Short mmCIF file of all heavy atoms in Angstrom, two decimals:
data_model
loop_
_atom_site.label_atom_id
_atom_site.label_comp_id
_atom_site.label_asym_id
_atom_site.label_seq_id
_atom_site.Cartn_x
_atom_site.Cartn_y
_atom_site.Cartn_z
N VAL T 21 55.44 7.06 11.43
CA VAL T 21 56.59 6.53 12.16
C VAL T 21 56.70 5.02 11.64
O VAL T 21 57.74 4.63 11.64
CB VAL T 21 56.49 6.62 13.62
CG1 VAL T 21 57.65 5.97 14.39
CG2 VAL T 21 56.31 8.10 14.05
N ALA T 22 55.67 4.25 11.66
CA ALA T 22 55.60 2.87 11.32
C ALA T 22 54.41 2.51 10.60
O ALA T 22 53.36 2.96 10.77
CB ALA T 22 55.89 2.01 12.58
N GLN T 23 54.58 1.49 9.74
CA GLN T 23 53.46 1.00 8.94
C GLN T 23 53.33 -0.39 8.78
O GLN T 23 54.32 -1.17 8.40
CB GLN T 23 53.43 1.64 7.52
CG GLN T 23 52.27 1.19 6.64
CD GLN T 23 52.38 1.91 5.25
OE1 GLN T 23 53.38 2.53 4.89
NE2 GLN T 23 51.34 1.71 4.48
N GLY T 24 52.24 -1.08 9.19
CA GLY T 24 51.95 -2.50 8.96
C GLY T 24 50.86 -2.60 7.94
O GLY T 24 50.63 -1.80 7.15
N LYS T 25 50.28 -3.90 7.84
CA LYS T 25 49.28 -4.13 6.84
C LYS T 25 48.05 -3.16 7.00
O LYS T 25 47.61 -2.59 6.13
CB LYS T 25 48.91 -5.54 6.80
CG LYS T 25 47.85 -5.81 5.82
CD LYS T 25 47.52 -7.33 5.76
CE LYS T 25 46.54 -7.63 4.64
NZ LYS T 25 46.09 -9.06 4.69
N ASN T 26 47.56 -3.19 8.19
CA ASN T 26 46.37 -2.52 8.48
C ASN T 26 46.50 -1.53 9.78
O ASN T 26 45.47 -0.94 10.18
CB ASN T 26 45.15 -3.50 8.78
CG ASN T 26 44.78 -4.03 7.55
OD1 ASN T 26 44.67 -3.59 6.41
ND2 ASN T 26 44.56 -5.46 7.66
N LEU T 27 47.69 -1.35 10.23
CA LEU T 27 47.88 -0.60 11.48
C LEU T 27 49.12 0.50 11.17
O LEU T 27 50.19 0.05 10.79
CB LEU T 27 48.34 -1.46 12.76
CG LEU T 27 48.25 -0.76 14.12
CD1 LEU T 27 46.85 -0.14 14.41
CD2 LEU T 27 48.66 -1.66 15.09
N TRP T 28 48.80 1.72 11.32
CA TRP T 28 49.75 2.84 11.16
C TRP T 28 50.17 3.55 12.42
O TRP T 28 49.19 3.70 13.29
CB TRP T 28 49.44 3.89 10.05
CG TRP T 28 49.03 3.22 8.75
CD1 TRP T 28 49.55 1.96 8.31
CD2 TRP T 28 48.16 3.68 7.80
NE1 TRP T 28 48.98 1.69 7.09
CE2 TRP T 28 48.28 2.79 6.69
CE3 TRP T 28 47.44 4.90 7.62
CZ2 TRP T 28 47.53 2.95 5.54
CZ3 TRP T 28 46.71 5.09 6.51
CH2 TRP T 28 46.65 4.16 5.43
N ARG T 29 51.40 3.91 12.60
CA ARG T 29 51.81 4.67 13.72
C ARG T 29 52.13 5.98 13.34
O ARG T 29 53.08 6.25 12.52
CB ARG T 29 52.93 4.04 14.50
CG ARG T 29 53.40 4.67 15.81
CD ARG T 29 54.35 3.81 16.49
NE ARG T 29 54.82 4.43 17.80
CZ ARG T 29 55.71 3.94 18.59
NH1 ARG T 29 56.20 2.76 18.42
NH2 ARG T 29 55.92 4.59 19.76
N VAL T 30 51.29 7.06 13.78
CA VAL T 30 51.51 8.38 13.28
C VAL T 30 51.83 9.26 14.43
O VAL T 30 51.27 9.11 15.55
CB VAL T 30 50.16 8.84 12.71
CG1 VAL T 30 50.30 10.27 12.13
CG2 VAL T 30 49.81 7.93 11.54
N ARG T 31 52.82 10.25 14.17
CA ARG T 31 53.21 11.20 15.19
C ARG T 31 52.75 12.60 14.60
O ARG T 31 53.05 12.93 13.45
CB ARG T 31 54.81 11.19 15.38
CG ARG T 31 55.24 11.97 16.47
CD ARG T 31 56.74 11.89 16.66
NE ARG T 31 56.95 10.44 17.18
CZ ARG T 31 58.21 9.82 16.97
NH1 ARG T 31 59.11 10.38 16.27
NH2 ARG T 31 58.40 8.68 17.42
N MET T 32 52.12 13.40 15.54
CA MET T 32 51.57 14.67 15.07
C MET T 32 51.94 15.80 16.04
O MET T 32 51.96 15.60 17.19
CB MET T 32 50.09 14.63 14.99
CG MET T 32 49.53 13.66 13.90
SD MET T 32 47.78 13.15 14.12
CE MET T 32 47.91 11.99 15.49
N LEU T 33 52.52 16.94 15.51
CA LEU T 33 52.97 17.94 16.36
C LEU T 33 52.01 19.21 16.15
O LEU T 33 51.84 19.75 14.92
CB LEU T 33 54.31 18.42 16.03
CG LEU T 33 54.88 19.61 16.83
CD1 LEU T 33 55.06 19.15 18.38
CD2 LEU T 33 56.36 20.03 16.34
N PHE T 34 51.23 19.66 17.09
CA PHE T 34 50.20 20.71 16.98
C PHE T 34 50.74 21.90 17.73
O PHE T 34 51.37 21.88 18.85
CB PHE T 34 48.94 20.35 17.67
CG PHE T 34 48.23 19.08 17.14
CD1 PHE T 34 48.45 17.81 17.68
CD2 PHE T 34 47.52 19.12 16.01
CE1 PHE T 34 47.90 16.79 17.19
CE2 PHE T 34 47.06 18.02 15.38
CZ PHE T 34 47.13 16.89 15.96
N PRO T 35 50.56 23.16 17.20
CA PRO T 35 50.93 24.42 17.88
C PRO T 35 50.21 24.56 19.25
O PRO T 35 48.91 24.15 19.38
CB PRO T 35 50.48 25.47 16.95
CG PRO T 35 50.33 24.80 15.66
CD PRO T 35 49.91 23.52 15.87
N ARG T 36 50.96 25.02 20.33
CA ARG T 36 50.38 24.99 21.61
C ARG T 36 49.13 26.04 21.69
O ARG T 36 48.14 25.73 22.40
CB ARG T 36 51.44 25.39 22.64
CG ARG T 36 52.19 24.21 23.17
CD ARG T 36 53.25 24.64 24.15
NE ARG T 36 54.27 25.47 23.73
CZ ARG T 36 55.18 26.01 24.55
NH1 ARG T 36 55.30 25.60 25.78
NH2 ARG T 36 56.17 26.63 24.05
N GLN T 37 49.32 27.06 20.98
CA GLN T 37 48.28 28.17 21.07
C GLN T 37 46.96 27.70 20.27
O GLN T 37 45.85 28.27 20.63
CB GLN T 37 48.71 29.52 20.35
CG GLN T 37 48.96 29.37 18.76
CD GLN T 37 50.36 28.92 18.60
OE1 GLN T 37 51.10 28.33 19.46
NE2 GLN T 37 50.87 29.31 17.42
N ARG T 38 46.92 26.46 19.72
CA ARG T 38 45.77 25.96 19.08
C ARG T 38 45.32 24.64 19.61
O ARG T 38 44.77 23.81 18.95
CB ARG T 38 45.88 25.86 17.58
CG ARG T 38 46.24 27.28 16.79
CD ARG T 38 46.44 27.15 15.39
NE ARG T 38 45.30 26.69 14.77
CZ ARG T 38 45.25 26.34 13.37
NH1 ARG T 38 46.41 26.54 12.71
NH2 ARG T 38 44.07 25.90 12.87
N ALA T 39 45.64 24.44 20.88
CA ALA T 39 45.30 23.12 21.45
C ALA T 39 43.82 22.79 21.48
O ALA T 39 43.52 21.72 21.28
CB ALA T 39 45.87 23.16 22.97
N HIS T 40 43.01 23.80 21.58
CA HIS T 40 41.64 23.61 21.61
C HIS T 40 41.03 23.08 20.22
O HIS T 40 39.99 22.49 20.26
CB HIS T 40 40.73 24.87 22.06
CG HIS T 40 41.04 25.98 21.06
ND1 HIS T 40 42.22 26.76 21.03
CD2 HIS T 40 40.22 26.49 20.11
CE1 HIS T 40 42.10 27.66 20.16
NE2 HIS T 40 40.83 27.55 19.51
N GLU T 41 41.79 23.27 19.25
CA GLU T 41 41.41 22.74 17.85
C GLU T 41 41.97 21.33 17.55
O GLU T 41 41.66 20.83 16.39
CB GLU T 41 41.87 23.73 16.83
CG GLU T 41 41.35 25.17 17.06
CD GLU T 41 41.89 26.10 15.88
OE1 GLU T 41 42.56 25.54 15.05
OE2 GLU T 41 41.79 27.28 16.08
N ILE T 42 42.54 20.64 18.46
CA ILE T 42 43.15 19.39 18.22
C ILE T 42 42.15 18.36 17.76
O ILE T 42 42.32 17.69 16.78
CB ILE T 42 43.91 18.82 19.35
CG1 ILE T 42 45.27 19.65 19.55
CG2 ILE T 42 44.33 17.32 19.28
CD1 ILE T 42 46.04 19.32 20.71
N PRO T 43 40.81 18.24 18.46
CA PRO T 43 39.84 17.21 17.89
C PRO T 43 39.48 17.44 16.52
O PRO T 43 39.53 16.53 15.74
CB PRO T 43 38.72 17.41 18.96
CG PRO T 43 39.34 18.03 20.11
CD PRO T 43 40.53 18.87 19.73
N GLU T 44 39.22 18.77 16.14
CA GLU T 44 38.83 19.04 14.77
C GLU T 44 39.95 18.62 13.82
O GLU T 44 39.79 18.12 12.76
CB GLU T 44 38.39 20.49 14.60
CG GLU T 44 37.91 20.74 13.29
CD GLU T 44 36.76 20.06 12.82
OE1 GLU T 44 35.96 19.62 13.64
OE2 GLU T 44 36.70 19.72 11.65
N GLN T 45 41.24 19.08 14.22
CA GLN T 45 42.42 18.77 13.31
C GLN T 45 42.61 17.30 13.20
O GLN T 45 42.94 16.82 12.10
CB GLN T 45 43.64 19.45 13.98
CG GLN T 45 43.56 20.91 13.76
CD GLN T 45 44.89 21.54 14.18
OE1 GLN T 45 45.96 21.30 13.61
NE2 GLN T 45 45.00 22.46 15.13
N LEU T 46 42.33 16.49 14.32
CA LEU T 46 42.46 15.09 14.11
C LEU T 46 41.46 14.51 13.04
O LEU T 46 41.85 13.63 12.33
CB LEU T 46 42.23 14.37 15.45
CG LEU T 46 43.36 14.49 16.51
CD1 LEU T 46 42.91 13.95 17.85
CD2 LEU T 46 44.60 13.79 16.02
N ARG T 47 40.24 14.98 13.18
CA ARG T 47 39.33 14.52 12.12
C ARG T 47 39.75 14.79 10.70
O ARG T 47 39.67 14.04 9.75
CB ARG T 47 37.99 15.12 12.26
CG ARG T 47 37.20 14.52 13.55
CD ARG T 47 35.76 14.96 13.51
NE ARG T 47 35.58 16.27 13.97
CZ ARG T 47 35.45 16.66 15.30
NH1 ARG T 47 35.45 15.68 16.20
NH2 ARG T 47 35.43 17.88 15.56
N GLN T 48 40.40 16.16 10.47
CA GLN T 48 40.81 16.53 9.18
C GLN T 48 42.08 15.65 8.74
O GLN T 48 42.17 15.30 7.54
CB GLN T 48 41.12 18.09 9.13
CG GLN T 48 41.47 18.57 7.77
CD GLN T 48 40.39 18.33 6.84
OE1 GLN T 48 39.23 18.53 7.11
NE2 GLN T 48 40.73 17.85 5.69
N ILE T 49 43.00 15.31 9.70
CA ILE T 49 44.14 14.60 9.41
C ILE T 49 43.72 13.20 8.91
O ILE T 49 44.32 12.65 7.86
CB ILE T 49 45.03 14.46 10.59
CG1 ILE T 49 45.67 15.93 10.88
CG2 ILE T 49 46.13 13.45 10.46
CD1 ILE T 49 46.53 15.97 12.15
N LYS T 50 42.71 12.56 9.58
CA LYS T 50 42.33 11.32 9.17
C LYS T 50 41.70 11.22 7.76
O LYS T 50 41.95 10.43 6.94
CB LYS T 50 41.18 10.75 10.15
CG LYS T 50 40.71 9.35 9.93
CD LYS T 50 39.90 8.79 11.06
CE LYS T 50 38.47 9.43 10.99
NZ LYS T 50 37.66 8.83 9.97
N ILE T 51 40.94 12.32 7.31
CA ILE T 51 40.42 12.53 6.01
C ILE T 51 41.58 12.68 4.98
O ILE T 51 41.60 11.95 3.95
CB ILE T 51 39.45 13.71 5.92
CG1 ILE T 51 38.26 13.44 6.78
CG2 ILE T 51 39.10 13.93 4.54
CD1 ILE T 51 37.30 14.58 6.84
N ASP T 52 42.56 13.42 5.39
CA ASP T 52 43.70 13.63 4.46
C ASP T 52 44.54 12.34 4.25
O ASP T 52 45.08 12.05 3.22
CB ASP T 52 44.54 14.74 4.94
CG ASP T 52 43.88 16.03 4.87
OD1 ASP T 52 42.87 16.23 4.21
OD2 ASP T 52 44.24 17.13 5.59
N LEU T 53 44.71 11.62 5.34
CA LEU T 53 45.49 10.36 5.43
C LEU T 53 44.71 9.33 4.41
O LEU T 53 45.42 8.72 3.67
CB LEU T 53 45.61 9.80 6.68
CG LEU T 53 46.77 10.46 7.60
CD1 LEU T 53 46.58 9.84 9.03
CD2 LEU T 53 48.11 10.16 7.11
N ALA T 54 43.46 9.24 4.66
CA ALA T 54 42.67 8.30 3.75
C ALA T 54 42.77 8.66 2.20
O ALA T 54 43.01 7.80 1.48
CB ALA T 54 41.19 8.34 4.19
N HIS T 55 42.74 9.89 1.93
CA HIS T 55 43.02 10.39 0.56
C HIS T 55 44.41 9.99 0.12
O HIS T 55 44.57 9.59 -1.06
CB HIS T 55 42.71 11.86 0.48
CG HIS T 55 42.78 12.38 -0.92
ND1 HIS T 55 41.87 12.19 -1.84
CD2 HIS T 55 43.74 13.19 -1.41
CE1 HIS T 55 42.27 12.69 -3.01
NE2 HIS T 55 43.41 13.44 -2.78
N ALA T 56 45.39 10.29 0.89
CA ALA T 56 46.76 10.14 0.52
C ALA T 56 47.09 8.63 0.31
O ALA T 56 47.80 8.36 -0.68
CB ALA T 56 47.62 10.58 1.69
N PHE T 57 46.46 7.63 1.06
CA PHE T 57 46.75 6.29 0.93
C PHE T 57 45.65 5.61 0.04
O PHE T 57 45.69 4.37 -0.07
CB PHE T 57 46.83 5.53 2.28
CG PHE T 57 48.04 6.00 2.89
CD1 PHE T 57 48.18 6.89 3.94
CD2 PHE T 57 49.28 5.37 2.56
CE1 PHE T 57 49.23 7.27 4.57
CE2 PHE T 57 50.50 5.74 3.27
CZ PHE T 57 50.48 6.69 4.19
N GLY T 58 44.70 6.35 -0.50
CA GLY T 58 43.70 5.75 -1.49
C GLY T 58 42.63 4.77 -0.83
O GLY T 58 42.39 3.76 -1.45
#
Side-chain angles (χ1 to χ4, degrees):
V21 179
Q23 179 179 7
K25 181 180 179 182
N26 291 316
L27 190 65
W28 302 338
R29 186 173 181 175
V30 181
R31 186 176 295 158
M32 296 162 282
L33 182 64
F34 301 97
R36 276 185 292 182
Q37 65 273 20
R38 299 179 60 183
H40 62 282
E41 298 179 9
I42 289 179
E44 180 60 35
Q45 291 189 57
L46 286 173
R47 281 191 289 270
Q48 186 59 44
I49 288 172
K50 185 167 74 78
I51 294 173
D52 293 342
L53 281 171
H55 180 72
F57 287 100

